[in-house]
Every structure is written in structure tokens, then in C-alpha cells.
Amino acid sequence: MRKDGTIVKGLSKKVAQAEASQTLALTALAKKLKAEGVDVVSLTAGEPDFPTPRHIKDAAVRAIEEDFTKYTVNTGIPELRSAIAAKLKRDNGVAVDPSQIVVSNGAKHSIFNALQAIVNRGDEVIIPAPYWVSYPEMVKLVDGVPVILKTTEKSDFKISPAQLKKAVTKRTKALILCSPSNPTGSVYTPEELKGLAAVVKASGIFVIADEIYEKVLYDGMTHFSLASIPDIAPQVITVNGVSKAYAMTGWRIGFLAAAKEIAEAADKVQSQVTSAPNSIAQKAATAAFAGSDDEVMKMTAEFKRRRDFLYAAMTSIPGITSSKPAGAFYLFPNVSAFFGKSHNGLKVRNCDDVAQFLIKEAQVVTVPGSGFGAKNNIRLSYACSMAELEKAVTRMRDAFAKLK
Ligand code: PMP
Ligand code: GLU
């Protein structure tokens, strides 16, 4: 209320200026169209279509039967944090004590907690583009300034140490790095990461290393964790979760692992905002991290089959080019050859128009690159069945052929 008694109406400027998540919006649109009876194919959300593996579901059922249904300690149950610490050592060569781990409601939440923990008003956070839609918006929501570093298809959408060095200023607080990448599927090699690590060390900035797709790798690529480099380990906030590797998107469990004071700050934020994540899902996630990765390997083999199909099929459509994803489950083709073309009096001007055109003409829902900071591309998720992919490709091929 103002001094004169009038009420100040309206949204906060911060929220009014932020974008809603395009990935979630288009996923919701695809669901709505399906519910209305439209025969749509959704290539929207990065959501594995496989069921959560049996042994993980069993752990959740057991948790319910044993009445493990109360609030847990804010940072996550000790057995889950121990399983995560063991996983980080085993898979990633990262040495952390369980007290350096905070479990949250998905990796998305962990990234936000990390930003809340380190960003002051006006601090810059470097984000290579194409980026996952939520990074810049989250930075803005904590009063930081996203600094976008452009990459090209030529450099496989990766930044170089020189590029990073040039972008660092006195105000730089952190870099957000996602490898394997959503939306491009590109994967940094250990050598490339060591090159970036030297700049991180010299400049003293933090890195939020989003490793959510670490298990989804093709063609003999291996995952390398920045936090395994002892020189910069205290500057790295590693984020990961169960959504992608274990087909557990709906269970909402992610974590961050970081220097003690950062973990404590994230703990503090979480303690006031959400408390610990779901107790049953925490038991399930413990089984995921402590159990065998046989199912993960089977799912990745299937993703590779789909990647091979989709990459070959899409790049055989006249006008479409694409980098070949080495990880994650997205193809990010360049569709700019269609800009300026029309069909039925409707002109396609940009990637948003291409996405709209595909919904209208092909009943295929994709995510335009604009939300990812890439104006020439659209994102196709191949975390859906081969039959759906085949249907989508046939329809998109026919639709693109109509653009003259
Ligand atoms: N990071 C990236 C790059 C993602 O694609 C996702 C997908 N949702 C997340 C983080 C968050 O995953 P979740 O919150 O489901 O753990
Ligand atoms: N990360 C997935 C995607 O990019 C799920 C949606 C979201 O959380 O943004 O499609």
C-alpha cells in the first residue's frame, strides 16, 4: 500500500519481464491438442518414453509400505546423499563428502538454488548459446545479468577458452556449462574442458556444470566432470539428477554437489522455500544411484538407434542441415533455408513460424530455437518411440516440400 492508502497493483517487474518456459509450454500445447483428438506427434519435451526401471519403482513401493512418508532432513536423506557421493566418485572421479550435497526437486531446482546461493544483483553469468531455455530466465529471476556467448555449428556449438576469457569481466560470477548439451547434443571432450578449466581457475569464477545428460552418450564419447579437476573443484557446482538417465522425470529428484559453503547456502534457501523433496522419490533415487546401470545402457542404445534414424532422415530433407548429436536426445536442425518461403499465402519468416507451420501442416510439435538463443533452428526431441519418429519425419518431409 502507498502512503496515500492506494494499493499498488500488478505483477513484479522481474516476473513480468521473464519468459515462461517454451519447452513446457509446447509440451502442454501438444498434450492439449492430443486431448482434443488431434493426431499430433510431439517432439517437444526431453522426457524418456521408457518406464522407470523395476528396481527403482520397487524401492518407492517399499517406502510407502514402510510409511516412509514424512518430511525428511532438508538436504536429503543420508543414504541418498551417500549414494550420490559414491556415484560421483565412481562415475565422475569427483570427491565430495555427503555434507556437500543438497538434494532438490529436480536438477532445475538445484540450478536455481545454486544461482540463489552465489548471485548478487548485477552479477554476470556467462551462458553459451544455444542454451537450455531456463538458464537466462533463472539468472534474471535472481537479479543477475545473463551474458550470452554465441557459438556456431562450425565449432559444434562449443565455446573456446579464448572466447570464455574474453567474456569474463569484473562482474562475472559464473559460467553455466551443459555437456552433453540440451538443445544441440554436443559434448565437450576432456581436453576441451581442461582448456576451459584453465580460464576458470585464472579468473576465479564459479561454474555450474549441468551434467543431467551424462549417461546419454553415443559413438564412444565419454563424460568428463569439471569437478574432477582438483585445481578448480572448489569453484565447480555439479548439478545432476535422475530424470533423464533413469526415466524419472516425474519423480522430481536432482542434486547439487559443491564446496561446503555453497551447499550450506543452498540448504538455507531450500529450507525457507520448499523443504526437502518427496520422501518416497528420495528412496527411489537412492535405488537408482546405488543400483546397476543395465537399464540405462539399454535406453541409451535405443536413443542411439533413434538418433541415427532422425539425423539421417532430417538431413535428407532438401534445405535442412544439422550437426550430429553426440549425446542427449535432441536434434537441432537449421531450418533457415525455408525463411521467406510461403504456402497457402502463409509466409514463414523465422523459426517460430516454422514451428507453427509444422503444427498446422504436419501436426508435428517441435520447439523453435528462439527460446534456446538460436534463431535458425528448431529442436526435435527423440525421446519418443521409433514409430512416432517415423510418422513425424514423413509428415515434416511432405510439409517442407510445400514451402515455395
Ligand atoms: N538441465 C537440462 C539441460 C535439462 O534439459 C533439464 C530437463 N528438464 C534439466 C536440467 C532439469 O531436469 P529435472 O529438473 O527434471 O531434473
Ligand atoms: N528439460 C526438458 C526439455 O528441455 C524438459 C522440459 C523442461 O524442464 O524444460 O525439454
Side-chain angles (χ1 to χ4, degrees):
M1 204 183 314
R2 291 197 193 96
K3 274 187 193 150
D4 64 3
T6 55
I7 295 191
V8 186
K9 294 205 187 90
L11 299 175
S12 82
K13 282 192 192 126
K14 196 157 74 175
V15 171
Q17 282 165 13
E19 303 278 340
S21 165
Q22 268 209 37
T23 45
L24 295 189
L26 281 146
T27 305
L29 173 68
K31 283 193 174 136
K32 181 171 166 276
L33 290 171
K34 257 185 206 166
E36 286 167 5
V38 184
D39 174 25
V40 290
V41 184
S42 174
L43 306 183
T44 52
E47 173 157 69
D49 55 320
F50 305 106
T52 301
R54 185 76 259 165
H55 69 284
I56 299 175
K57 291 196 282 198
D58 286 346
V61 171
R62 254 193 327 274
I64 295 174
E65 293 303 341
E66 289 168 7
D67 294 317
F68 193 75
T69 54
K70 306 285 197 279
Y71 292 136
T72 73
V73 58
N74 183 52
T75 44
I77 52 177
E79 66 193 274
L80 173 53
R81 284 193 291 153
S82 294
I84 293 170
K87 170 256 177 298
L88 285 168
K89 188 146 194 33
R90 179 183 69 230
D91 295 350
N92 310 106
V94 174
V96 287
D97 187 78
S99 64
Q100 293 172 256
I101 293 165
V102 178
V103 182
S104 302
N105 296 287
K108 196 180 231 175
H109 185 204
S110 301
I111 297 166
F112 196 61
N113 278 347
L115 290 168
Q116 292 271 18
I118 61 172
V119 174
N120 287 309
R121 182 179 295 276
D123 282 353
E124 295 173 358
V125 178
I126 297 174
I127 303 172
Y131 45 73
W132 180 42
V133 286
S134 295
Y135 298 150
E137 303 311 309
M138 287 199 213
V139 169
K140 288 190 241 163
L141 286 172
V142 298
D143 295 319
V145 179
V147 173
I148 308 301
L149 270 196
K150 287 238 171 336
T151 65
T152 60
E153 207 173 310
K154 244 200 196 145
S155 68
D156 196 19
F157 298 115
K158 294 187 237 181
I159 57 163
S160 67
Q163 221 182 336
L164 177 61
K165 194 171 167 194
K166 219 172 132 204
V168 173
T169 71
K170 282 197 189 109
R171 309 278 346 221
T172 307
K173 197 58 174 277
L175 159 74
I176 306 183
L177 202 71
C178 181
S179 177
S181 156
N182 175 4
T184 65
S186 53
V187 179
Y188 284 83
T189 65
E191 286 63 40
E192 288 165 341
L193 289 168
K194 283 175 193 161
L196 295 177
V199 181
V200 168
K201 173 77 187 163
S203 55
I205 62 172
F206 289 112
V207 187
I208 298 177
D210 184 344
E211 305 191 346
I212 192 94
Y213 295 99
E214 70 160 329
K215 306 256 178 193
V216 189
L217 287 168
Y218 316 116
D219 310 330
M221 292 298 288
T222 49
H223 179 73
F224 183 81
S225 290
L226 277 171
S228 68
I229 304 174
D231 244 11
I232 60 158
Q235 290 162 252
V236 183
I237 304 170
T238 303
V239 171
N240 206 332
V242 292
S243 285
K244 314 295 170 170
Y246 303 99
M248 291 176 71
T249 45
W251 298 75
R252 309 310 302 130
I253 296 289
F255 68 84
L256 66 75
K260 199 123 192 256
E261 67 268 26
I262 294 174
E264 282 169 2
D267 176 9
K268 196 195 310 187
V269 172
Q270 177 156 301
S271 77
Q272 296 290 17
V273 182
T274 61
S275 305
N278 177 296
S279 59
I280 299 150
Q282 287 191 60
K283 285 281 188 182
T286 307
F289 287 125
S292 124
D293 272 354
D294 288 355
E295 289 300 316
V296 180
M297 271 142 56
K298 275 190 221 158
M299 291 189 252
T300 300
E302 178 57 22
F303 287 136
K304 182 186 176 298
R305 206 166 75 88
R306 296 174 190 176
R307 189 242 6 210
D308 289 345
F309 166 75
L310 193 63
Y311 172 75
M314 290 306 292
T315 53
S316 77
I317 296 177
I320 289 190
T321 58
S322 179
S323 62
K324 192 172 187 181
F329 29 63
Y330 308 102
L331 192 76
F332 203 55
N334 185 318
V335 292
S336 60
F338 299 101
F339 297 173
K341 298 195 171 183
S342 311
H343 172 63
N344 265 350
L346 218 106
K347 194 165 178 178
V348 162
R349 293 157 306 169
N350 50 37
C351 64
D352 297 286
D353 286 352
V354 170
Q356 285 303 322
F357 172 76
L358 289 175
I359 295 174
K360 195 159 175 280
E361 284 299 322
Q363 288 80 51
V364 174
V365 192
T366 62
V367 188
S370 47
F372 302 95
K375 290 198 172 82
N376 293 330
N377 303 65
I378 57 171
R379 191 191 77 172
L380 315 178
S381 163
Y382 49 91
C384 61
S385 75
M386 200 64 174
E388 293 275 281
L389 280 183
E390 282 166 1
K391 191 155 120 183
V393 166
T394 306
R395 291 181 182 185
M396 284 192 284
R397 185 188 297 279
D398 292 348
F400 280 123
K402 290 180 188 162
L403 285 172
K404 301 286 180 222

